[in-house]
């Protein structure tokens, strides 16, 4: 069984790393390049860089920032935000990204998933999904969590797999930034119905048991977090040591 991955996330707005709660009330969390370099040196397995306002501001991901981050890390690096075309993906891969995360554009133009997977290979294409509970079911949201698509999460994960996505980055909007633990029910639903790796996002707190739960009860292949790493409440090396000592296979 592949080792479980620990992935810090850099949510970037105006060139600065920020973090909010339930996608709101953003606060400054540090310089993106310096944080990326730190996580690479600490032994994080991968990094995710999300230009969180690119789609709503109708602009492309900041290429210069991607180049700077890529020059300072030696681990796989996923980039998302404002990506709408094959050309956008090509530019970011050429700038140093290893994988590309597509969220809103995947919903509004699903063909971009199959076209990009065919062009670049499925291993490069991550479909990012923001989902929220409504009346007992999970629904997909786009535009940084501002628009309910009306699409059920259970239907969307089947579609993205058929179209050739190589990985799913699943964020629980309900859990995001709360630090009360990952959404095990949502993650488990997706992981059990997915033949591709699932990255769990949203809700990680300073309690390392949150990660054990998402791996053992939510069946996630990787866990993404931001606040606990940015503000040093649970550093990557400390978390990995705890997981290893509790029989979770990780790369030390």
């Amino acid at each position: 069984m592949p080792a479980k991955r620990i992935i810090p996330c850099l949510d970037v707005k105006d060139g600065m790393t920020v973090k909010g709660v339930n996608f709101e009330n953003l606060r400054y969390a540090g310089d993106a390049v310096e944080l990326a370099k730190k996580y690479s040196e600490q032994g994080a397995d991968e990094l995710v860089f999300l230009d969180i306002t690119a789609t709503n501001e109708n602009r492309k991901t900041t290429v210069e920032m991607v180049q700077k981050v890529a020059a300072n890390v030696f681990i796989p690096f996923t980039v998302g935000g404002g990506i709408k075309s094959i050309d956008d993906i090509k530019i970011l891969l050429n700038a140093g990204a290893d994988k590309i995360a597509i969220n809103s554009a995947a919903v509004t133009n699903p063909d971009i998933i199959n076209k990009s997977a065919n062009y670049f290979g499925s291993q490069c294409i991550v479909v990012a999904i923001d989902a929220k509970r409504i009346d007992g079911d999970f629904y997909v949201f786009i535009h940084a969590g501002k628009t309910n698509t009306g699409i059920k999460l259970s239907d969307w994960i089947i579609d993205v797999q058929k179209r050739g996505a190589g990985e799913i980055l699943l964020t629980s909007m309900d859990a995001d930034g709360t630090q009360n633990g990952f959404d095990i029910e949502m993650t488990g639903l997706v992981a059990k119905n997915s033949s591709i790796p699932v990255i769990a996002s949203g809700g990680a707190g300073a309690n390392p048991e949150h990660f054990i739960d998402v791996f053992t009860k939510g069946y996630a292949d990787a866990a993404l977090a931001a606040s606990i790493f940015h503000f040093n409440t649970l550093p990557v090396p400390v978390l990995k040591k705890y997981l290893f000592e509790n029989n979770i296979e990780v790369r030390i």
Side-chain angles (χ1 to χ4, degrees):
M1 181 180 292
K4 302 297 187 181
R5 290 171 288 149
I6 301 300
I7 306 177
C9 182
L10 305 172
D11 291 325
V12 177
K13 182 179 186 290
D14 302 326
M16 300 292 184
T17 306
V18 296
K19 193 67 193 86
V21 177
N22 306 130
F23 286 38
E24 302 289 346
N25 302 318
L26 302 177
R27 61 173 172 149
Y28 175 63
D31 178 81
V33 177
E34 290 303 314
L35 285 172
K37 185 177 179 182
K38 179 181 81 168
Y39 297 140
S40 181
E41 292 171 347
Q42 283 184 343
D45 296 293
E46 299 184 19
L47 278 176
V48 169
F49 172 105
L50 299 176
D51 190 334
I52 61 172
T53 57
T55 296
N56 288 350
E57 293 172 2
N58 197 30
R59 60 174 175 77
K60 302 183 189 305
T61 301
T62 306
V63 175
E64 184 181 355
M65 180 71 71
V66 172
Q67 291 172 328
K68 288 179 180 177
V69 171
N72 283 276
V73 303
F74 304 97
I75 54 178
F77 175 40
T78 300
V79 176
I83 297 161
K84 297 179 181 178
S85 69
I86 296 292
D87 285 342
D88 292 342
I89 295 172
K90 192 179 296 184
I91 289 167
L92 292 171
L93 291 175
N94 287 338
D98 298 287
K99 295 188 275 189
I100 302 299
I102 313 170
N103 189 330
S104 297
V107 175
T108 57
N109 176 27
D111 283 347
I112 193 174
I113 304 173
N114 19 310
K115 288 179 180 177
S116 58
N118 288 336
Y119 193 97
F120 301 103
S122 292
Q123 77 283 353
C124 285
I125 306 304
V126 179
V127 173
I129 303 173
D130 299 330
K132 186 175 184 178
R133 276 180 187 77
I134 298 177
D135 297 328
D137 214 332
F138 299 113
Y139 287 87
V140 176
F141 280 66
I142 57 174
H143 301 138
K146 297 190 179 345
T147 304
N148 182 358
T149 65
I151 299 171
K152 286 189 176 181
L153 176 61
S154 54
D155 293 332
W156 184 228
I157 60 172
I158 292 170
D159 196 9
V160 302
Q161 291 177 80
K162 287 180 179 177
R163 290 177 178 275
E167 199 162 27
I168 292 171
L169 170 53
L170 176 69
T171 300
S172 166
M173 294 175 61
D174 299 309
D176 175 69
T178 64
Q179 299 192 34
N180 291 325
F182 292 94
D183 191 323
I184 302 301
E185 182 185 0
M186 180 187 290
T187 306
L189 169 72
V190 174
K192 288 177 186 177
N193 291 281
S194 177
S195 59
I196 59 177
V198 175
I199 304 168
S201 170
N207 183 354
E209 290 290 332
H210 292 168
F211 289 83
I212 290 180
D213 287 345
V214 83
F215 290 139
T216 60
K217 299 176 183 177
Y219 308 104
D221 299 277
L224 179 147
S227 299
I228 59 168
F229 298 144
H230 300 337
F231 302 114
N232 219 36
T233 52
L234 182 60
V236 171
V238 174
L239 170 60
K240 282 198 160 191
K241 183 173 183 290
Y242 183 90
L243 293 174
F244 179 78
E245 290 172 348
N246 284 272
N247 302 313
I248 302 295
E249 187 175 348
V250 292
R251 297 181 188 90
I252 298 294

